[in-house]
Amino acid sequence: MVQYYAIAGRQVGSHHLALGILSSLFGGVYLATRGSSQPKPAAPPIKAESKDEETFIQDFLKQVNGEDKKAGH
């Protein structure tokens, strides 16, 4: 035996309402947690005069990013 509700002038069974609510809930959770489809932007190129300067800049950026990660915890 199913309980019927009058919605927008039509008779709708309680099991249809339950399925509609559950599907919208799980569908919303899926859409909210599926993540970004865009790839992360690449870092701008390093314009250095020499190879030593380029390695210095890369090491400095690694050091700064490492400190940011430690400070975030």
Side-chain angles (χ1 to χ4, degrees):
M1 193 173 259
V2 177
Q3 177 70 34
Y4 285 98
Y5 296 96
I7 298 177
R10 300 192 65 189
Q11 295 292 325
V12 180
S14 60
H15 58 286
H16 286 199
L17 290 175
L19 288 173
I21 290 171
L22 288 175
S23 62
S24 64
L25 174 73
F26 289 120
V29 169
Y30 171 74
L31 291 175
T33 60
R34 67 181 180 165
S36 175
S37 62
Q38 298 175 352
K40 292 182 180 178
I46 298 173
K47 296 180 181 178
E49 297 290 326
S50 66
K51 186 68 175 169
D52 291 333
E53 185 179 1
E54 183 179 348
T55 56
F56 173 76
I57 293 171
Q58 289 175 347
D59 291 341
F60 178 76
L61 290 175
K62 287 179 186 176
Q63 179 184 4
V64 170
N65 289 338
E67 290 176 1
D68 289 343
K69 290 180 183 177
K70 289 179 184 176
H73 286 275

